[in-house]
Structures are given as structure tokens and as C-alpha cells.
Amino acid sequence: MFLIIMFMVIIKRIQDERKFSKFGDWVYICGRRKTGKTFFVKNFTKWDEYFFVRKDRTVFDKEGNHLGYETFFELFKRDLGKKRIIIDEFHRLPPAFFDYLHYSGKKGKLIVVSSTLWLSKKLLGKGSPLLGLFPLMIFGLIDERDVIKALKSHVREKELIEASVYLREPILAPPYRKPIRKYLAEYLENNKLAIKELIGEIFSEEERKLSQVYEGILRAVASNKTVSTEISSFLYSKRLIPKDNPGLIQNYLNVLVKIGLLRKLEVYKKKKFRYEHVSPLLDLHFYLDEKYNYIEGEISNKFIEKVVKEKIGFHVEKFFREFLSKLLGMKCAVLEEPEVDIALIEFKKIKILGEVKWKDSLTKKEIEKIREKLNFFDGKKIIIVPNKRTIKIEGINVMDVSDFVKLASIKNPKI
């Protein structure tokens, strides 16, 4: 009973509320499907009228009444400037509606929501009647700090961080029960077709087909092919591109970054980039299917749990890196020589280097190896472990779960 009640608790998106409060009366919120945009605007903003636009351009109002476009348009014209209005899936409206907004000028309070990133930026770009009307708020996964704050009263230590890594994905949060590794394996087993359908919906909203090349790239990145040359070779080996040429896939990579499925990281002092999945859930999904054919095959829950265990340390590393990047206002980069888990830069200079060792204890040999790896660097050096009680390394700031729980609630943090 405790666990069921416990995760009826809403993960408040405090960081997104702060961002939203800085915008004016008109705001354009966009992001891929199932990131909680609708829940956010309906529960954490003030509004009088809510409209949801269907793919056929008919509309549901806040009571669920089905309206034709012309009826909706008349109601909107009547209420604009008098009521606070939300329009969900705004990008589905016809161009004539966008022209009307340009004609009417900014008046009243209007929040529009879209399940697109690439298309939304195009709608607000050069030559569009919407240019200059809306500030853009990109809505992604739940902020690392917010999920830790929401869960810290219910789970602790390793489970707190591991659950936070995956519950940033809103679709995973409501049914969660600990331990996260077992829960995640069960979720993947029971929802593999739904996750596949979600990917298709993301591409559909962006008005792009989920081609074999796009899917191949997502599989390649999940399989640790993270630079364009490796991805190109992977695709060529699958006969998805006519020749092994990274130039052929650059546009595909750019689109996947723009629609929020991949993250692009600069390799420090090198003219190349690495790509990774934004969502650890989707990373697991594509990894499982590429290596083990789990969508069509018969993969046991126990085996999926072993794969989760294999991947979880990698996802924890990314979680801490993004947490510190946002907390300190620094840019993430990749350092290859030596290869480290966390590299944060400011004004093109490395400010913080860190290693994540997601295990209960470290040997003297492991500690010495970390010291040697980070010894060349004169700046701030950190190592992150589940529990630091028995670990001391001279010249390196050892951090653990308790430190990140504190940092999640500090306005002006220092590490």
C-alpha cells in the first residue's frame, strides 16, 4: 500500500515553472510526445479555456465537446484578449489561423503547445507569420534536480539515483515500484510495442517518416556507435546507405537532434562530435532490439533485467553529468585523452573533470587509477560514488548520493 500511495505523488517540475514564469503573456511550448507538456500547462499554469486540436483539425474544448474548426475559430476570436487560452497540438491548425494571429497582434494571454521540435522551430522561423510572436520554451524530460527532490522521501541511496535516472521519463513515473531495475525490466517487457509506437508518433508529428536510416541511427547509437564515422559504417553494414560515407547521414543526425531524440556533444579540442540518446528508456529499447531482437523475439524478464544492470552505470554517468551541467551553468563536452565520465567547460576551458564509480566499494588499485587519470588537470576534480564514507582521495572531491540530494535544493551551489 505504501508504494502505491507513494508514487501517486506528482513530480513537480519546479525548474520548468521557473522558466515559464520568465516568459510573457504569449508562450510557445514544444517537445516530443509523452514528456508531460499537457499535464504541465493544465495543472501548473492559469487558464480559462483549453482547446485540443486533432489531426483532422477538429477540436475538443475543455469539457470534451467536439468542435468543427470554424466553430473553434469563432470562439477563439471572441475570447482572445479576454480570457487565458491554451491551444494544444497547435501546429495542426491551418496556415490561415497563423495569419490571423499575425494580423490580430499580441493581446491577452495565450499558451500554445506542440508535440514537435523541428517543425515548431520552422513555424516560428524566417518567413512565418508567427515570427516574433512567441518566445519558445522547449520541454524535455523532467529536470534531474526535480526528480531527486520528489523521490528523496521515499527511496534512498543507490535506488534514489537509479530511479531518478529513469523516472525523468514521465510515462515511467506513475506505476513505479522499487527496485527500479526489476520494474524497468517488467516495463520494457510489457510495453515494447507501445514504445515502438511512441517513436512512430514522434516522427509522424514532425511530418517525417520513421525511415530505416533514422531507426538504424538510433540503433547504432544505442550500440555505442557514437561518432558519425562509426554510425555510417554501422548503417552501411546493414545495407541502409549506398556507401560508407558520414556525409550521407549528417542531415539525418541533425534532424534526430532537432526533434529531441539524440544529444550532440562536442569532443574537446577536436573537430568532431559524439551522439547519445536523450532518453535512457529509448536507449535501452533500441539496444535490446538491436542486440537481442526483443520486440519480435521471446526475451525473458530476467534477461532484460540483466541488460538493465549492464547499462545502468552508463545512464547514471550521464545523469550526474547533466545534473552538474545545469546546476553550475556549464557546458558538457567529451574528453577522450584521457577518457573521463564528466567534462564541464566554461569559455572553452575545462573547469571540472569527474569520474563516476557506481559500485559499493573501490580497491586501492582503482583509486590509484582514478588519481593517475585526473592528475594532469589542475582544476576541480570529482569522483561520484553511491556512499563515500570509506573513500578518501587526496586532491579529489569525493561526492555521493547525499551530496546530490543537498545540491538539488540549493539555489547558489558550490562543489
Side-chain angles (χ1 to χ4, degrees), residues 101-355:
L101 291 182
H102 177 80
Y103 162 78
S104 67
K106 293 177 72 169
K107 57 184 179 180
K109 294 184 180 293
L110 177 61
I111 301 171
V112 301
V113 183
S114 173
S115 293
T116 74
L117 280 168
W118 175 83
L119 184 58
S120 291
K121 290 177 181 178
K122 185 178 178 182
L123 282 176
L124 299 178
K126 186 177 180 180
S128 168
L130 301 179
L131 179 65
L133 291 183
F134 293 94
L136 183 64
M137 179 177 174
I138 297 177
F139 211 80
L141 302 185
I142 300 170
D143 188 277
E144 293 83 357
R145 292 162 287 182
D146 289 342
V147 72
I148 285 179
K149 282 190 279 190
L151 300 180
K152 68 181 182 180
S153 299
H154 308 297
V155 289
R156 291 175 173 79
E157 298 181 346
K158 288 180 75 173
E159 179 70 14
L160 170 58
I161 296 301
E162 292 180 6
S164 296
V165 167
Y166 297 103
L167 299 191
R168 293 184 62 222
E169 189 78 65
I171 58 175
L172 286 174
Y176 163 65
R177 60 188 181 279
K178 63 180 183 181
I180 185 66
R181 298 183 185 200
K182 184 175 179 62
Y183 163 71
L184 194 55
E186 291 175 356
Y187 187 93
L188 285 160
E189 180 185 30
N190 297 330
N191 294 277
K192 55 189 177 183
L193 295 179
I195 296 171
K196 182 179 180 181
E197 190 65 27
L198 170 62
I199 302 296
E201 288 180 10
I202 292 169
F203 277 83
S204 175
E205 291 295 344
E206 297 285 359
E207 297 183 356
R208 290 175 178 269
K209 293 181 180 179
L210 180 54
S211 73
Q212 290 182 317
V213 176
Y214 283 120
E215 186 170 347
I217 292 172
L218 294 171
R219 289 172 177 274
V221 174
S223 302
N224 203 33
K225 314 297 182 187
T226 60
V227 296
S228 59
T229 52
E230 295 170 343
I231 297 168
S232 174
S233 296
F234 177 91
L235 296 176
Y236 181 67
S237 72
K238 303 282 187 180
R239 299 295 184 263
L240 296 176
I241 54 176
K243 57 182 178 178
D244 187 356
N245 182 351
L248 294 176
I249 64 168
Q250 198 56 57
N251 186 55
Y252 291 93
L253 288 167
N254 291 340
V255 168
L256 289 168
V257 171
K258 287 177 181 177
I259 66 176
L261 289 178
L262 292 185
R263 181 184 293 113
K264 181 180 180 180
L265 295 169
E266 175 188 353
V267 178
Y268 186 65
K269 289 192 174 179
K270 292 188 178 181
K271 293 182 179 180
K272 68 176 183 178
F273 299 90
R274 289 193 176 273
Y275 297 87
E276 64 185 30
H277 279 273
V278 171
S279 166
L281 175 67
L282 299 186
D283 184 57
L284 274 169
H285 172 81
F286 282 106
Y287 180 77
L288 277 162
D289 202 44
E290 177 57 31
K291 286 201 74 172
Y292 306 111
N293 191 34
Y294 102 115
I295 292 178
E296 297 181 358
E298 293 295 327
I299 306 297
S300 72
N301 177 272
K302 288 292 184 183
F303 184 81
I304 295 175
E305 193 173 339
K306 288 180 180 179
V307 175
V308 170
K309 182 180 179 181
E310 175 188 335
K311 273 273 194 176
I312 204 163
F314 171 78
H315 292 151
V316 166
E317 289 173 14
K318 309 308 174 192
F319 178 87
F320 283 126
R321 184 196 68 199
E322 295 297 316
F323 182 109
L324 290 172
S325 170
K326 293 171 185 175
L327 190 79
L328 302 173
M330 296 182 187
K331 183 179 177 182
C332 297
V334 175
L335 185 65
E336 292 185 331
E337 299 171 4
E339 187 174 346
V340 297
D341 299 330
I342 297 172
L344 301 180
I345 61 177
E346 191 175 53
F347 302 115
K348 297 185 178 181
K349 291 185 178 181
I350 296 176
K351 293 294 183 179
I352 295 176
L353 281 185
E355 283 285 284

Side-chain angles (χ1 to χ4, degrees), residues 2-18:
F2 171 74
L3 287 178
I4 294 173
I5 294 172
M6 163 179 135
F7 289 104
M8 292 299 289
V9 174
I10 295 169
I11 300 176
K12 287 197 68 176
R13 303 186 73 140
I14 298 168
Q15 300 302 323
D16 290 310
E17 286 186 64
R18 287 174 180 167

